[in-house]
Amino acid sequence: TDTDANPVSNQNIISTDFLETINLNRVGGTAAATSTIAIGANLPANASPFDSTLSNAQDGFQKTDVQFFDTLGNANNVSFSYKKSFRANKWDLQIEPPSGTAVLTLYDGTPNNPLVYDSTGQLEFTARPADGSSVVIDGITYEFDSDASVVETATLRRVDISSTTTLAQDVNALLTTVRGFDTDFDTTNNRIALSDNSTTTLIFREDGTGSIVINPVGLLDSNGDPITNQTSSFTVMKQNAAYAEATQFTFAGQPADQDTITINGITYEFDSNAAVTGTNTSVTIGANLAATLANLETAIEATDPEMTGSRVRLRENANSGANDRLVLESLPSGSYTVAFNDAGGGTFAVNVTSPDAATTYVSAGGTGSTTVDTAFAINFDSDGLPESFNVAEIEVLGFASGASDMDDDAANTSRINIDFGTIGEADGMTQFGAEFTPVFIQQNGSRFGTFAGVTIDANGLVTALFDNGETRTIYQIPIATFVNPNALESRTGNIWNATQASGDFTLRVADNGPAAQVVQGALEASTVDIGEEFTEMIVVQRAYSASTKIISTADEMLEELTRIK
């Protein structure tokens, strides 16, 4: 038993200061939070890639329902959603937060500093918002308004509920307002959307743009009570670029003539005089940055047959007023390079950054490059066996029940470890040419359980047993040793007193050094008092004799009554 992880009441048993009576009446119930989830299933090798524009009724979308327990013993249900990638033998994984929580984040297995694979938050509405109630999303306040009294500003937007009659309509009005104003939340990236499971729940899913901060404190009803299960501010973590489906480039200025960008092996040269170098593809410099990027998008789609549809698109960065962000998605054929060359001595290159300005891709007058690629959650080899896993931990924050966050913080409980099996072996997730087949789901942890009994081991550890199958060490029994145990003074009741000849007792841990083991359910030969036992036997025998005499007398009286009749 790990006494450090599960400390006993009398921790320092070799000191008399920690001696106390074992009181089993003080043992309450217990619950254990889930720390490990193991899943085994076969994902269909012949499934078509998941298409987000279709319903989930497709073989490239499979789901496993899993239950886990929080620190209060509450059962929480989540769905592991597996989505077949456009690349062979690769599957994405998404998990929405369970009801009554704020954020669920998936981490990879990078030692010491795991990277965010995916992060999802939610706002679960339980009642209609009062006029004037509000929520802050990424620094912008969205206020529900029924009488057109809100004066909109750059940081305050009106959510019109003058004609809504249901909670679902209120939530949809908020969704429409956010998408219509904040360009970081549009229908293309779906960083905000309705939950697949509820029309009154908003889902926030990060896509590599940057963390999302939601403050629902102002969401109240007419009585001033919260109308969402989430009542305090929470943050949806930024997805690591390695796992994002697209790489985003934010431009802060116009490129100059002869500046180039090479994408997937094709060089695009910005041109102001209809003259480009060699076989470079010309991109006309427009009147402004938005026009130039529109010309770049057109050139890419016309030149590269792989870069079609949404795989190359433009976005407006954080309400900047015009499209200033180039978004390039990963390709089915594999990774590709994006290279910058500030050959024209312009100012655009040094200002081409990632969405949150954390990364500058090229310095002024120089060159720089990056790789566009996506690493997926579950990767199989050509034999259908797992080749690698990029999801190893689940973090759950913001339990409405008051349970502790599962976030590895020293003050809270740990994240949940995910076990998909062994690399190269068919002992967990597999991908063979068969239908989706769940094999097993195992998790530790338990609901609340009541005290059912105790057991004592050889070390003297007293372990409480609970009816939910959990155990908890509660006490440790010390062993008292004497220098001269033969000089102890015997007293009635199998009690021994220390004497001057025996010396004082020394408390020791059982089964350690000169201390003997503790053996439960056993009696020492010397613990029986023959006189006391013989006396009790006589009392029992006399009681038995008296009882049989009563029965005999009653029988004689019944016979006499029969004769009288």
Side-chain angles (χ1 to χ4, degrees), residues 150-420:
V150 173
V151 178
E152 294 187 327
T153 66
T155 57
L156 175 64
R157 308 307 295 178
R158 175 178 181 254
V159 181
D160 184 5
I161 55 173
S162 59
S163 60
T164 59
T165 58
T166 66
L167 177 58
Q169 291 174 343
D170 296 335
V171 174
N172 191 66
L174 173 61
L175 172 65
T176 302
T177 303
V178 174
R179 282 180 168 175
F181 177 73
D182 193 334
T183 55
D184 280 340
F185 298 92
D186 57 31
T187 55
T188 301
N189 55 46
N190 279 324
R191 295 177 81 224
I192 182 173
L194 284 177
S195 169
D196 292 336
N197 304 315
S198 172
T199 57
T200 59
T201 298
L202 285 179
I203 295 296
F204 300 86
R205 177 166 286 118
E206 219 295 291
D207 65 345
T209 302
S211 59
I212 308 171
V213 180
I214 299 99
N215 187 348
V217 173
L219 288 173
L220 307 171
D221 62 16
S222 57
N223 296 321
D225 297 324
I227 60 170
T228 56
N229 288 332
Q230 296 70 33
T231 57
S232 58
S233 180
F234 59 89
T235 300
V236 181
M237 301 294 291
K238 180 184 178 181
Q239 184 183 34
N240 186 270
Y243 305 118
E245 294 182 359
T247 301
Q248 305 178 51
F249 304 90
T250 302
F251 291 74
Q254 276 270 44
D257 189 70
Q258 298 182 1
D259 286 345
T260 63
I261 298 180
T262 301
I263 302 173
N264 196 26
I266 300 174
T267 300
Y268 303 89
E269 182 176 331
F270 294 97
D271 178 37
S272 62
N273 55 12
V276 297
T277 304
T279 59
N280 291 350
T281 299
S282 175
V283 178
T284 301
I285 298 176
N288 51 47
L289 176 61
T292 302
L293 292 183
N295 294 336
L296 174 61
E297 179 184 15
T298 301
I300 295 173
E301 292 175 340
T303 307
D304 192 338
E306 286 192 288
M307 304 293 289
T308 59
S310 64
R311 287 176 181 157
V312 53
R313 59 186 185 271
L314 302 179
R315 282 181 57 190
E316 181 183 335
N317 171 38
N319 300 322
S320 60
N323 287 335
D324 52 4
R325 182 178 295 175
L326 176 67
V327 181
L328 301 176
E329 287 192 356
S330 299
L331 296 176
S333 58
S335 63
Y336 61 93
T337 300
V338 176
F340 297 89
N341 184 5
D342 191 16
T347 59
F348 94 98
V350 70
N351 294 318
V352 178
T353 65
S354 64
D356 57 4
T359 302
T360 298
Y361 290 106
V362 61
S363 59
T367 61
S369 65
T370 187
T371 299
V372 176
D373 197 9
T374 299
F376 294 92
I378 305 175
N379 304 282
F380 297 98
D381 60 23
S382 57
D383 293 324
L385 301 178
E387 188 174 62
S388 64
F389 300 116
N390 286 319
V391 175
E393 297 178 333
I394 301 176
E395 178 182 83
V396 186
L397 307 177
F399 287 90
S401 64
S404 172
D405 287 340
M406 309 178 85
D407 61 355
D408 275 357
D409 189 286
N412 302 320
T413 192
S414 61
R415 295 172 185 159
I416 301 174
N417 294 316
I418 306 177
D419 181 6
F420 283 127

Side-chain angles (χ1 to χ4, degrees), residues 405-470:
D405 287 340
M406 309 178 85
D407 61 355
D408 275 357
D409 189 286
N412 302 320
T413 192
S414 61
R415 295 172 185 159
I416 301 174
N417 294 316
I418 306 177
D419 181 6
F420 283 127
T422 306
I423 300 300
E425 296 185 15
D427 60 355
M429 303 300 293
T430 58
Q431 183 195 243
F432 296 123
E435 296 181 352
F436 174 68
T437 307
V439 179
F440 64 84
I441 300 173
Q442 298 175 343
Q443 73 282 327
N444 59 5
S446 64
R447 296 179 183 270
F448 174 81
T450 57
F451 176 61
V454 296
T455 183
I456 306 173
D457 68 8
N459 295 321
L461 284 171
V462 181
T463 302
L465 310 177
F466 300 88
D467 60 8
N468 60 357
E470 292 297 315

